[in-house]
Each structure stands twice: as structure tokens, then as C-alpha cells.
């Protein structure tokens, strides 16, 4: 594959990207403020806005080039620029977290405290694309998309927030996520430069810093694999919970009173810490004596026959009263009988209303002798 850009031109562009200048500081402060406020507000859209203006990917890809070239001065300058940005962000987010003093942080913060192998893969691809965009500006004209994908600033903001609240264990997870993103970008940039620049391919094996960078990235596989295993376990538990909930619903329909008419399954929780796992099902019922213990046992047997694990089932029933009007709102109308027509024969026998019958003469008393 031919060299799309001359080596001298690459050196000049990477020299500019490693500078610690006013624009870099201003963009870092702005990205730190926006990201921290977005994390406090638990707004993903605001955090994405901070990623768009964060300039940290520029000194990182400059460091990748300098590592391959063996230019220690440029590597030091690029890493110093990045370190200044990280320090500004940690101090800014810690100050905002101390002022806000929120007792509970949202999902945007918690989601960046449990890194895994997927995060490292994203960082590798993002670093490759960012470096490729520098080599071929006509292919990728902006680093905005890669900045959003790799998300360097938000983990550091999370680190500052958690440090201000003295939550050390989650802060360690945020620091691990930043390290994964940092080394992933460096390694992705190194591999992309080697793949696209023939003059740099031999230098990778002679560059001790390049090998150290790849080695450190490989070492991250150990803690990140643990996070990935945890993620798989959580996904399996969610799948098992959905299957158990469907089994409970189906069994209640078949073995107990009909759902939707006399009862309603409102909640299902599984306590995985117990052996066997304990299923807690909440049911609203209109008949307080149902479901019976025998029916609950039948449901438990049905679940254990259809699932991989054996479970213990407890049903919490909440009785509700169904009240309606005493009469139906739309009673059926009473049919009205239509008058029947008289036959002609009956008409002739009936007396005419115009000719009244003659009055009966009064009785004459008998003569007395």
C-alpha cells in the first residue's frame, strides 16, 4: 500500500497536534465543564456534546507517531499536553462535584465505572480511525466521530466526581476505563501507521516504546476480562429472569386463576445469593384465598421442569376489592307488545258504539191478593 502522505508532512502535522497552546486549554476546560455538568444532570446528550469538542485525541495520535519514530522529545511533549488536560479535567470535575454534593449519581456516571473488553476494542478501532483520518484527510475530514466513540474526557470527569465524594472503588473503575481508552488509542494508532506507512513497518520492532505500549495494552486484558465475564453473567441473569417470568405467567394462567381477570402478576424478582435461587412474585388478586399453597407448589414444579436451575418460589398476594354499580349501566329494554287486529267476524258480533243497546225494563212487582 503506497504512502498517501509524505513523512515530512506527517512530522509537521503531528508536531502541531502535540502543542500545549491556548486553544487546547480552552477546549479542555469547556469539555470538562460540559461533561461534568452533563454527568451530574444524567444527560447523555450533554455528555456527547463534551466529546465533540474534546481535543485529547490529537496529542495521543501524535504520541503514536513519535513512538514509532523513536523521537523521545515529541513523545514527552505529547504526553505532557495530555497530562495537563487530564489534570485540568480532574480538578474541574472534583470542584463541581464538591459544590453539587449529590448523594446519588446517575447512570451516566455508574456506566463508566465497570470497563470490560468491549471498551478496549472500541478504543483500538477509534485510535485506528483517528490516525487514518490524519493520513487521509479526504477519507475522514473530522475526528468528531472518533472522539464520541472513544470518550476520553467523560471517564476522567467521572473520576473527579467520585474522588470528591470519596467513593474509591468506583473511582478505580473509571481510572481503568481511561487507561483502556488511552492505551487502546495509542496501540490502534501504532498499528494503523505500520499498516499504511511502509517506511515505519520495520521501526515497530526496533521501537522499544512501541513494544512497551502494546505490552501494556495486552496487560489490560487481565482486569478487563473480569469485567467482561461479569457483563456476561449479568446478561445471563437477565435472560434467566425473563424466562422465569414467562414461565410463572404461563403457569399462573394454566394452574391458578386466570391472569387479567381475577389476578395480575405485578413483579418478579430473583435473589441469586440464595441456593436455590429464590423467586419472589407479587400478585394482585380479587379472591384473597388464591393462589393456594398447593397451586404455588404446582407453579414451582412447572418452573423447575422448564428451567436449567432449580428455584424456590414465594408468592406475595395482595387482595383487591372489585366494586361496581348495583345495576348494569345499559339494561336491555323491555319489549312492548304490539296491538292485535280484530277479525271481521268478531267485529260484526261486537256492539256498535253508535247504536247502544236498549235498556232493560224494570221489574214489575207482583199484585197482592
Amino acid at each position: 500500500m503506497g504512502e498517501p502522505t509524505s513523512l515530512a508532512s506527517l512530522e509537521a502535522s503531528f508536531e502541531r497536534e502535540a502543542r500545549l497552546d491556548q486553544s487546547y486549554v480552552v477546549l479542555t476546560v469547556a469539555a470538562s465543564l460540559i461533561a461534568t455538568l452533563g454527568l451530574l444532570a444524567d444527560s447523555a446528550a450533554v455528555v456527547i456534546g463534551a466529546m465533540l469538542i474534546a481535543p485529547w485525541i490529537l496529542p495521543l495520535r501524535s504520541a503514536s507517531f513519535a513512538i514509532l519514530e523513536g523521537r523521545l522529545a515529541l513523545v514527552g511533549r505529547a504526553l505532557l499536553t495530555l497530562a495537563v488536560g487530564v489534570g485540568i479535567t480532574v480538578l474541574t470535575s472534583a470542584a463541581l462535584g464538591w459544590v453539587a454534593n449529590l448523594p446519588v449519581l446517575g447512570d451516566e456516571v455508574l456506566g463508566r465505572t465497570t470497563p470490560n473488553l468491549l471498551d478496549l476494542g472500541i478504543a483500538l478501532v477509534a485510535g485506528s480511525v483517528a490516525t487514518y483520518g490524519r493520513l487521509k484527510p479526504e477519507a475522514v475530514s473530522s475526528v468528531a466521530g472518533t472522539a464520541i466513540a472513544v470518550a476520553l474526557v467523560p471517564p476522567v470527569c467521572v473520576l473527579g466526581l467520585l474522588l470528591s465524594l470519596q467513593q474509591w472503588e468506583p473511582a478505580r473503575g473509571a481510572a481503568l476505563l481511561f487507561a483502556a481508552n488511552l492505551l487502546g488509542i495509542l496501540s490502534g494508532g501504532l498499528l494503523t501507521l505500520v499498516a499504511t506507512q511502509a517506511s515505519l513497518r520495520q521501526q515497530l520492532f526496533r521501537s522499544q516504546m512501541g513494544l512497551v505500549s502494546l505490552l501494556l495494552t495486552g496487560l489490560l486484558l487481565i482486569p478487563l476480562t473480569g469485567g467482561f465475564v461479569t457483563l456476561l453473567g449479568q446478561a445471563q441473569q437477565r435472560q434467566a429472569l425473563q424466562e422465569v417470568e414467562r414461565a410463572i405467567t404461563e403457569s399462573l394462567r394454566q394452574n391458578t386463576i386466570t391472569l387479567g381477570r381475577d389476578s395480575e402478576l405485578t413483579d418478579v424478582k430473583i435473589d441469586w445469593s440464595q441456593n436455590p435461587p429464590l423467586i419472589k412474585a407479587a400478585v394482585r388478586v380479587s379472591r384473597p384465598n388464591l393462589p393456594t399453597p398447593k397451586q404455588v407448589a404446582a407453579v414451582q414444579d412447572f418452573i423447575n421442569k422448564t428451567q436449567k436451575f432449580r428455584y424456590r418460589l414465594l408468592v406475595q398476594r395482595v387482595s383487591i376489592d372489585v366494586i361496581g354499580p348495583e345495576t348494569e349501566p345499559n339494561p336491555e329494554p323491555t319489549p312492548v307488545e304490539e296491538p292485535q287486529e280484530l277479525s271481521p267476524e268478531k267485529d260484526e258480533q261486537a256492539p256498535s258504539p253508535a247504536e247502544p243497546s236498549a235498556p232493560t225494563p224494570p221489574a214489575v212487582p207482583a199484585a197482592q191478593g
Side-chain angles (χ1 to χ4, degrees):
M1 184 176 182
E3 297 184 10
T5 308
S6 66
L7 196 58
S9 176
L10 285 177
E11 290 178 355
S13 63
F14 285 130
E15 284 277 357
R16 290 191 300 270
E17 292 181 352
R19 293 174 184 170
L20 179 59
D21 52 16
Q22 182 180 4
S23 62
Y24 176 85
V25 174
V26 170
L27 290 176
T28 295
V29 172
S32 303
L33 290 171
I34 294 173
T36 304
L37 294 174
L39 291 169
L40 290 173
D42 201 24
S43 173
V46 177
V47 176
I48 291 175
M51 300 177 196
L52 283 170
I53 63 176
W56 291 4
I57 203 167
L58 302 180
L60 272 177
R61 68 184 184 185
S62 177
S64 298
F65 175 79
I67 287 173
L68 282 178
E69 283 282 288
R71 299 179 56 182
L72 295 180
L74 182 56
V75 173
R77 190 159 61 251
L79 294 181
L80 176 62
T81 299
L82 179 65
V84 170
V86 172
I88 292 173
T89 301
V90 170
L91 292 176
T92 302
S93 58
L96 289 176
W98 180 77
V99 172
N101 195 25
L102 295 181
V104 179
L105 298 175
D107 293 336
E108 287 295 318
V109 172
L110 299 179
R112 292 177 170 85
T113 58
T114 54
N116 55 68
L117 290 175
L118 301 179
D119 298 299
L120 180 60
I122 293 171
L124 286 169
V125 177
S128 299
V129 174
T131 304
Y132 189 75
R134 178 71 274 174
L135 300 175
K136 282 192 172 184
E138 70 278 4
V140 182
S141 59
S142 174
V143 297
T146 55
I148 293 175
V150 76
L152 280 169
V153 172
V156 179
C157 293
V158 170
L159 175 62
L161 288 173
L162 294 174
L163 290 178
S164 68
L165 298 175
Q166 299 182 1
Q167 298 184 13
W168 312 118
E169 187 62 25
R172 186 186 68 84
L176 180 60
L177 175 59
F178 172 69
N181 289 341
L182 175 67
L183 292 175
I185 291 176
L186 280 174
S187 299
L190 286 172
L191 297 176
T192 302
L193 287 170
V194 169
T196 57
Q197 300 291 313
S199 60
L200 298 177
R201 291 173 190 171
Q202 298 299 325
Q203 297 188 30
L204 176 62
F205 301 99
R206 296 196 299 265
S207 173
Q208 295 181 357
M209 289 185 296
L211 295 177
V212 169
S213 175
L214 295 177
L215 177 61
L216 291 176
T217 305
L219 290 177
L220 281 176
L221 295 176
I222 299 174
L224 294 178
T225 300
F228 186 69
V229 171
T230 302
L231 181 65
L232 285 178
Q234 293 174 351
Q236 291 175 352
Q237 287 185 0
R238 287 194 299 268
Q239 182 183 9
L241 179 60
Q242 293 174 356
E243 292 179 356
V244 169
E245 184 175 354
R246 286 194 296 267
I248 292 176
T249 304
E250 184 66 23
S251 186
L252 284 173
R253 286 184 180 142
Q254 294 181 358
N255 301 326
T256 64
I257 50 182
T258 304
L259 282 174
R261 187 187 66 186
D262 295 328
S263 70
E264 179 184 1
L265 182 65
T266 59
D267 188 32
V268 176
K269 294 181 180 179
I270 300 180
D271 186 357
W272 299 97
S273 63
Q274 298 196 27
N275 187 19
L278 175 63
I279 304 172
K280 297 179 181 179
V283 181
R284 281 201 299 260
V285 296
S286 58
R287 299 169 63 184
N289 60 331
L290 294 177
T292 63
K294 184 177 181 181
Q295 290 173 327
V296 173
V299 174
Q300 178 178 284
D301 293 340
F302 175 80
I303 294 172
N304 290 332
K305 289 178 181 178
T306 57
Q307 302 299 315
K308 300 177 182 178
F309 307 101
R310 295 191 63 82
Y311 296 91
R312 187 164 65 96
L313 175 64
L314 292 179
V315 176
Q316 179 184 12
R317 61 189 184 193
V318 178
S319 179
I320 58 175
D321 295 330
V322 179
I323 302 174
E326 295 181 358
T327 59
E328 296 182 0
N330 298 310
E332 296 182 0
T334 304
V336 179
E337 296 183 357
E338 297 181 357
Q340 298 181 355
E341 296 182 358
L342 299 176
S343 60
E345 297 179 355
K346 293 182 179 180
D347 290 344
E348 292 177 358
Q349 297 176 359
S352 174
E355 299 178 356
S357 58
T360 304
V364 180
Q368 295 181 357

